[in-house]
Amino acid sequence: MPYLRIVLFLFISLNMSGNESITGPSLRAKKKILALTKEAAYFLSEANYEKSFSTSRLSLQQALAINDDYLIAKSYNNIAATYEDLSEFEKAILYYKKGLVYANKTANDTIKNAINNNLGNVYCFEKEQFDKGLDYYNKSVEYGYKMADTSQLYITELNLAWAYFYSKNFEKGKPHLDFINLHKNKYADKTTTAALNMLNGMYFGNRSEYEKARSFFLVAIKLGNEVGEKSDLADTHEEYAMLLMKMGNYKEAYENLLIYNDIRKKLEDSEKLRKANMVGINLELDEYKRKVDVIELEKELQYESLQQSRIIVLLFVIISGVFLLLIYLLYRNYKFKRKKNLELILANEQLSVAKKNAEVASELKSQFVSTITHELRTPLYGVLGITNMLLDEHKELANSPHLGSLKFSARYLLSLVNDVLQINKIEENRIVLENLTFNISDEINMIKNSLSFIAKNHTNSINVNIDPSIPEYLIGDKLRFAQILINLVSNALKFTKNGEVNINANLRKVEDRWHFIEFEIQDNGLGIAEEDQEKIFEKFVQLGRKEIDYQGTGLGLSIVKRLLELFNSTISLESKIGVGTTFTFTIAFDCDPIKTINLINNIQVDLSTGQVFNVLVVDDNSINQLITKKIVEKHNYKCTVVDSGLAAIEILDKIKFDAILMDINMPVMNGFETTRIIRKKNITTPIIALTAFDKEEVSEEAISAGMNDILIKPFAPALLVKTINQLIFRVKEAPLV
């Protein structure tokens, strides 16, 4: 079905310009934009996705500049179709809906027909949400009859018949099948004729008219082989096999199932090569909770000590005043006063010592958190890296429970380290919100993908619903926003089994440039008792902990509450035992339309450049050397490894590299010192710091030393490759001075 849908889209895209009148002073500009949309559709038909995206972005930018709703809708339609062909169905739906918003502002029924048809395709055949898909198809049919364009009606009617038959509702699909059969001689080509014969075979097979159904299937298979559309051919063999089983012809049914499986496997293999593998896991670990408890207990004791010291100071002031009054009255009390003064001086000295001890303890706590973070991240980089190497080099171990448990435990420990570091930063008021431009749909869908492992373990599904009226680009701290969502969604997934978690984002109001967006995280899991609902936002609170699946630090919701306070926001919840829980919060994001137009060119698509770069790795740890080298060479880059800063300086005098990956914590000469010497030699090669220290601890010195970027171990291989590419191209594209 996917191939047929794209052909139908291209047909509509290349022909829907006829009904739109292009007049006025901007005639030349509109003709130019219209030509760009046709060019983008052509590139999509040739599977040249990079050019399709770049051309669509250009047409969208120019259409927005002249405020032409029709051309904006066409541009969004092209972008959505490209995402659909790349199997990015959530993004495809988002951009189709954006296009529909602008299409509905026009009087052009052709583009409304096209976008409704395309949304019907995605919802019916990719999301299997037939009610939504059929609604869009029916809207498309309404516009088709309104235009009296039987050619476009033929396409949508074919989709409708297929959707009804696919959901086993043959009686509702029959009128649409009759329409297609009536007009096939005028509008059908080999692809649609093959599909039509398959639909006829399905219908007559359902009516037990087996021989008639068989003849249609044979014609469909013959045409399918001629056209070469593998997805539709696979569906035809599968439906034909089901018919043969009803007829009792099990041998031939088995043969057709073998053909179906062979075609489907080839399609799946090619799909795997095309899809980006973005799997990330945000887990929590309880193994080091005892240490965190000790730190917090020390903090409480220090606080009590300071309170007692303040009381002593107050008593000192009072007693001193009393003694000053008494000295005028009673000389005989002079010795007593002197004695008390000495005692108070001693108490004050003890107070000063206690204060210094408290300050030292607080500093030791911060140093402890920093040290334990670095010391844990370094071996975790080795554990995760070696696990990935084993899985890459020994495909037979892909399903090994031991390797899976090892990787799970390492990621779990990393989650704990990050939680402890995060709560420590918040308590010390070291977090300042950043203002960065980001795409809210991309951020939410990335979070959804990163938590797919937890969802799969509990047989849950994650649904994302984003209000189309939310601007495409917002300004705010996307990192802290992502941390809030990850904590809430992962928490919902852990306490839900065989259910679903919904992420809803709706625009509530707009004040000047501020867009107030309400987020809801809904689940149908265990629920939270009313008496426990206030406790869950406290540190280390874990309710109903009876199973191993619920282990964690108890810091997640506490972090969420404190981060939302930085956004001047609060969080509320509604929950019922056995029904589920809904968390709700609102964040105001800035939106600058001028920046939005400039950032349209930054719609990201992960397409490999195919260029080979020469990378130098500087690291004294042999395990880290092995892992980093494997990551670099896996992406077809050349890699040279040295074990010290001195060795790096020597080799740079002989060989030119495209990028340098520099460890910071090395003996004799650390990464900062090595980088300063390299920059003094006027070597401009991009240098990326690889470190287990927290980024905020080393950023200032890294920048002053001349480093270009910092990655914290353990990092995702894709992030390393992306960072290398960006820095290399930035250097190459820099103007000469």
Side-chain angles (χ1 to χ4, degrees), residues 509-541:
K509 64 177 180 177
V510 179
E511 293 181 359
D512 296 326
R513 297 191 324 188
W514 293 98
H515 289 62
F516 290 80
I517 303 175
E518 181 186 84
F519 299 91
E520 289 182 340
I521 311 301
Q522 299 174 328
D523 67 68
N524 54 1
L526 298 177
I528 304 170
E530 185 174 352
E531 62 270 22
D532 294 328
Q533 291 181 7
E534 289 297 324
K535 303 177 185 176
I536 63 173
F537 294 102
E538 299 173 5
K539 289 183 293 186
F540 308 117
V541 171

Side-chain angles (χ1 to χ4, degrees), residues 237-451:
H237 278 288
E238 183 184 29
E239 295 292 340
Y240 184 41
M242 293 169 62
L243 174 70
L244 291 170
M245 290 180 70
K246 289 182 181 179
M247 297 172 65
N249 192 344
Y250 299 110
K251 179 181 178 182
E252 192 175 351
Y254 175 74
E255 292 171 350
N256 277 271
L257 283 176
L258 287 178
I259 297 173
Y260 163 77
N261 288 330
D262 182 62
I263 297 173
R264 184 57 60 192
K265 184 178 184 303
K266 291 178 180 177
L267 289 173
E268 289 173 354
D269 289 343
S270 62
E271 188 72 5
K272 288 177 183 177
L273 292 174
R274 189 171 64 172
K275 278 186 175 181
N277 181 20
M278 296 177 62
V279 178
I281 306 170
N282 180 36
L283 303 172
E284 297 178 350
L285 182 63
D286 193 49
E287 183 179 341
Y288 278 80
K289 180 176 181 295
R290 179 180 59 81
K291 292 185 178 180
V292 179
D293 288 339
V294 171
I295 294 172
E296 292 302 321
L297 180 60
E298 289 177 353
K299 180 183 176 184
E300 293 293 334
L301 292 174
Q302 293 162 11
Y303 178 77
E304 291 177 5
S305 176
L306 286 174
Q307 288 294 104
Q308 292 173 358
S309 299
R310 290 172 183 169
I311 293 173
I312 293 173
V313 171
L314 181 61
L315 288 173
F316 170 77
V317 173
I318 294 172
I319 293 173
S320 297
V322 171
F323 280 150
L324 287 173
L325 290 174
L326 289 176
I327 199 171
Y328 292 104
L329 302 173
L330 301 170
Y331 176 74
R332 64 182 180 177
N333 291 328
Y334 170 76
K335 292 183 178 180
F336 179 77
K337 170 194 168 185
R338 184 177 180 183
K339 179 181 177 182
K340 287 297 179 181
N341 279 339
L342 290 174
E343 291 177 354
L344 289 172
I345 291 171
L346 179 61
N348 193 36
E349 290 176 352
Q350 292 174 346
L351 171 63
S352 178
V353 171
K355 182 180 179 182
K356 290 180 179 178
N357 289 338
E359 292 173 348
V360 170
S362 178
E363 184 177 351
L364 286 174
K365 174 192 170 185
S366 297
Q367 291 176 353
F368 169 77
V369 172
S370 176
T371 302
I372 199 69
T373 299
H374 177 269
E375 294 302 322
L376 287 175
R377 278 176 172 166
T378 298
L380 280 175
Y381 178 63
V383 173
L384 287 172
I386 292 174
T387 304
N388 289 329
M389 284 168 53
L390 287 173
L391 291 173
D392 288 339
E393 296 176 3
H394 300 277
K395 301 299 183 183
E396 70 276 11
L397 298 178
N399 297 318
S400 169
H402 306 299
L403 281 180
S405 298
L406 178 63
K407 192 170 184 179
F408 177 91
S409 299
R411 290 178 183 265
Y412 207 53
L413 179 57
L414 179 62
S415 175
L416 171 62
V417 172
N418 291 335
D419 274 356
V420 173
L421 185 63
Q422 181 72 19
I423 200 71
N424 187 61
K425 286 182 181 179
I426 293 174
E427 290 178 347
E428 295 182 358
N429 297 318
R430 289 196 287 122
I431 293 182
V432 178
L433 295 183
E434 298 180 344
N435 287 317
L436 302 172
T437 302
F438 68 99
N439 185 305
I440 196 168
S441 174
D442 287 347
E443 288 297 318
I444 294 177
N445 280 290
M446 181 177 67
I447 292 169
K448 171 185 174 182
N449 293 335
S450 70
L451 297 177

Side-chain angles (χ1 to χ4, degrees), residues 641-668:
V641 177
V642 294
D643 60 0
S644 69
L646 291 173
I649 294 168
E650 291 177 2
I651 198 171
L652 284 169
D653 288 334
K654 304 172 185 177
I655 303 175
K656 179 177 175 60
F657 293 89
D658 297 296
I660 302 171
L661 307 182
M662 180 76 68
D663 183 31
I664 289 179
N665 191 21
M666 294 186 295
V668 183

Side-chain angles (χ1 to χ4, degrees), residues 23 27 42 52 69 84 114 154 160 179 213 266 282-283 374 404 430 500 541 544 546 563 617 649 676:
T23 59
L27 174 62
Y42 169 75
S52 176
D69 293 331
E84 184 182 352
Y154 182 85
L160 270 168
F179 181 94
K266 291 178 180 177
N282 180 36
L283 303 172
H374 177 269
R430 289 196 287 122
E500 62 181 19
V541 171
K546 297 179 181 178
L563 287 177
V617 175
I649 294 168
R676 289 188 180 96

Side-chain angles (χ1 to χ4, degrees), residues 177-246:
L177 181 63
D178 292 338
F179 181 94
I180 305 165
N181 284 321
L182 179 64
H183 296 89
K184 65 181 180 181
N185 293 332
K186 186 173 182 181
Y187 300 109
D189 56 17
K190 279 191 176 183
T191 301
T192 56
T193 302
L196 176 57
N197 276 278
M198 186 191 75
L199 294 176
N200 279 311
M202 292 171 66
Y203 176 78
F204 287 110
N206 182 65
R207 290 174 57 89
S208 299
E209 296 181 33
Y210 296 137
E211 290 302 323
K212 194 170 184 179
R214 180 188 180 97
S215 63
F216 280 113
F217 275 120
L218 290 174
V219 173
I221 291 172
K222 179 177 179 297
L223 290 172
N225 283 310
E226 292 176 1
V227 173
E229 208 300 286
K230 298 301 183 183
S231 179
D232 294 349
L233 182 59
D235 292 343
T236 304
H237 278 288
E238 183 184 29
E239 295 292 340
Y240 184 41
M242 293 169 62
L243 174 70
L244 291 170
M245 290 180 70
K246 289 182 181 179

